[in-house]
Structures are given as structure tokens and as C-alpha cells.
Amino acid sequence: MALGIEEIQAIITAGTEHRGWIANSFAQVEFLLGDLIVRCRAFPEYAEHTQTVSHSASKRIAKVRAMLAIEGPLSPFAAALEPLLDGFAANQEVRNLLAHGYCEFHHTPTDDAGFYFRKFDRAKAEETGNDAALLEKTFRLIDLEYHRVQMIALADSAMDLVSNLHVGLGWADAVPQPLA
């Protein structure tokens, strides 16, 4: 039995909702890393790494990792920050593809369905010398749900960690409040 229009619309709606949660959760963590960089301007030992706030997630990760390599006020939080940075870095490609990729909904006569994403890929273009190199991936609804759950958990962990960091570093006046 082929998917009907109502089932197709329901799948597209659910996939779009998952996509939004993934992008939003990633953005929450990305902002918090930028905010951490800005706040760490107060610590002279981190001056080299806090002069600018990059708009690149990977550069923010690199800046925070560089600060963690220096003995300073962030040192007590390094063990908690490292796994957060790892999880955030591991989700960059998925987030970029979902946020910037062209999406098509595909389905088969056997009721398999997925969201096919394509985007021009700078890294692949530089690697291959082909400026039209694409990053392509198909996500089934279950794949998007998996990434949604993972990114929401990462954002929740980031909020808790940043809250503790704010208290520990005397920034409690700006403690982000996690939802109950």
C-alpha cells in the first residue's frame, strides 16, 4: 500500500519539527560557547583566544579547547567541557546539512521515506578541487528523531554546565535557567 497524501504530510511535518529542534539545540550550544569566550576576556591568561568571537562553530570549539589547555579559571571545568565540545563537534556536519542543505522528500512504493539533503561542501571542494562538490545524505524519520534526542540532550547538558560555570566563576547574575 503506497503512502497517502495525509501520511506524507505527517512525515514531512514530523521531519521538519525534528530538523528545527536539531538546529535550535545546536544554536543554543554554539551561542553558549561564544558567550564563554566573551566572558573569559576578563581573564588575562586567555587573552590570545578571546580577542574575537568567530562565527564558525569549529573555531569556537578550537578557542575553548585552547583555553582549556592553559592553567586558569576554566581548569576545574575542563573534565566536563571536553565531552561537551566533543559532542558538539560530532554534530556539526549534520547540523550544517540540515540548516543549509536543499531538502527533497523521497518515498518508495513500499512506503520507505526519507529526506534527501544536498549542500555545496567547502571542505570537499577544497579537497577535490571541484567547487561544485556536494555533501549528500538521506535521513529517515527515525534518523532525524535520533539526532533530535541527541542534540536536545547536548543542549541540556550545556545549559547545566554553563550554569555551574557561571556560579563557579562569579557570573551568577547571568546564569542561564534550564527549563524544568
Side-chain angles (χ1 to χ4, degrees), residues 121-150:
D121 187 56
R122 183 180 310 157
K124 195 184 262 187
E126 290 171 1
E127 179 184 311
T128 64
N130 175 7
D131 69 346
L134 295 175
L135 177 59
E136 302 172 90
K137 186 167 177 131
T138 299
F139 296 88
R140 288 182 173 82
L141 206 50
I142 189 102
D143 302 321
L144 291 173
E145 182 178 7
Y146 166 81
H147 288 291
R148 174 185 176 164
V149 168
Q150 185 182 39

Side-chain angles (χ1 to χ4, degrees), residues 22-102:
I22 294 164
N24 184 66
S25 296
F26 190 93
Q28 298 299 98
V29 177
E30 188 172 18
F31 175 84
L32 292 173
L33 292 178
D35 186 65
L36 178 61
I37 292 165
V38 170
R39 289 177 182 279
C40 282
R41 289 177 177 166
F43 306 121
E45 54 268 74
Y46 302 136
E48 178 184 343
H49 306 293
T50 60
Q51 294 172 4
T52 61
V53 179
S54 174
H55 295 277
S56 159
S58 58
K59 288 181 182 175
R60 287 184 188 185
I61 292 168
K63 285 177 181 271
V64 174
R65 285 192 198 281
M67 290 189 297
L68 292 176
I70 298 168
E71 186 62 36
L74 291 180
S75 296
F77 302 95
L81 275 165
E82 284 293 348
L84 176 76
L85 295 173
D86 291 343
F88 185 65
N91 282 285
Q92 282 187 91
E93 185 174 286
V94 167
R95 179 268 177 196
N96 285 340
L97 187 55
L98 295 179
H100 303 293
Y102 178 79

